[in-house]
Structures are given as structure tokens and as C-alpha cells.
Amino acid sequence: ILALTVLAGMGPWIWLKRQKAQRLLNFEASLPDALSMLARTLRAGLPLSQALQIVSQEMQGPVANEFGIVFNELNYGGDLRSAFLAMLERIPSVTVMAMAVAVVIQREIGGNLAESVDRLERLMRERFRFQRQLRTLTASNRTSAWIVGLIPFILAASLELLSPGYLATL
């Protein structure tokens, strides 16, 4: 009963952690498309706040929500740095950190923000391509590790089924 109570108590926490991880994966998967759209709108001559609004309206899912929150913070008089830092707190990711740093630095120092966002988008796409390639190359090794790790337990279970009491003396 105690074990079931602990498992039942941990169930919602585990479910929330999985939901958070899934939201982060969805966000990172659609971030390069959002950055591409952001770069195109900046090249068209729109200010950053309108470009963020367009991204939040045209995209779907967590990316649209997060860019919408950043737009609302800027629209209501918030600081660009604090808006992107708040986004980084909500989405703890290396890609979001790189985007926030690039946008804040380009805004404070000056320069072509559209070009920086475009480079960041290409870098993220290459990073995701590398991660997929790495997972493909290591898939057989991970499968082998699971099989080798499970063999002792499968062998013990089959010995207990075939010859009850044999493992007790072992």
C-alpha cells in the first residue's frame, strides 16, 4: 500500500515533467521556422516588436505563445532584455539562450539583426541535423546496451520458471 501511495503521489509530478519536456521539444523543433519568419519580416523593414507579433500570429504551438508573450511585454512598455530573459526562464534551452543573447546584443550594439537571426536559424538547423544523424549512428549501440543489460534478468526469470528453487541455492 505504501508503494502504491508513493507511486500515485509521484504520478502527477512525472506526468508534468513529461509534458514540460514535450513542450520544450515542440518549441525547439519549430524555433528555426519561427526565426526564419522573424528574419524575413525584419528584412522587410518591420520593427522587432511587429516582427514578434507576426511570428506569434502566424506560427502555432508553444513558439507562438512564447513570442506572443514577448511581444505583449514589449508592447506594454517592458524592456527587451527582461522580456527575453523571462522567455529564457520559461524555456530553459541553449537555443533560446543563443537567440536571446543575439537579439539583445544586436539591439544594444546595433547591426543587421535580420542577418544575425538568419545565421542563428541556419546554425540551429545544422545542430538539429547533427543530433538526428548522431542518434541514427548510435541506435544500434543503444539497442545492444539494452539487450546486454536485460539478459541477466531474463535469464534469471527463465531459470526460475524452468527450475523453481534453483536461484535460491545459487
Side-chain angles (χ1 to χ4, degrees):
I1 293 175
L2 180 64
L4 286 175
T5 305
V6 169
L7 286 176
M10 289 181 60
W13 182 76
I14 292 170
W15 182 77
L16 284 174
K17 292 294 264 182
R18 287 185 61 110
Q19 291 294 103
K20 182 179 178 181
Q22 186 64 35
R23 184 175 189 271
L24 182 63
L25 286 175
N26 289 341
F27 182 86
E28 285 191 343
S30 55
L31 186 61
D33 294 332
L35 289 179
S36 176
M37 185 182 297
L38 185 69
R40 287 193 308 266
T41 55
L42 289 171
R43 269 196 211 99
L46 295 175
L48 180 62
S49 60
Q50 280 186 326
L52 290 171
Q53 181 185 22
I54 288 172
V55 170
S56 71
Q57 290 172 350
E58 297 295 323
M59 296 293 292
Q60 295 177 352
V63 170
N65 294 338
E66 291 299 325
F67 277 89
I69 292 170
V70 171
F71 167 72
N72 286 336
E73 283 189 40
L74 292 176
N75 200 27
Y76 294 130
D79 183 29
L80 180 73
R81 177 187 295 269
S82 64
F84 275 102
L85 287 178
M87 181 182 187
L88 184 59
E89 285 181 18
R90 289 187 303 269
I91 307 287
S93 168
V94 174
T95 55
V96 174
M97 183 177 64
M99 179 191 66
V101 167
V103 169
V104 169
I105 287 176
Q106 284 293 333
R107 233 16 189 162
E108 289 179 358
I109 294 175
N112 191 352
L113 183 59
E115 185 179 319
S116 296
V117 170
D118 198 31
R119 284 183 183 166
L120 187 61
E121 179 253 336
R122 282 194 311 258
L123 180 68
M124 285 182 194
R125 288 190 193 276
E126 288 295 322
R127 181 174 155 237
F128 292 145
R129 186 177 302 123
F130 175 73
Q131 286 175 345
R132 285 191 305 268
Q133 196 173 32
L134 184 66
R135 286 188 58 83
T136 302
L137 292 173
T138 61
S140 64
N141 293 338
R142 284 183 281 125
T143 305
S144 297
W146 274 101
I147 291 171
V148 168
L150 289 176
I151 283 177
F153 299 107
I154 294 171
L155 184 62
S158 62
L159 277 175
E160 188 62 35
L161 285 175
L162 295 174
S163 178
Y166 183 73
L167 284 180
T169 59
L170 187 65

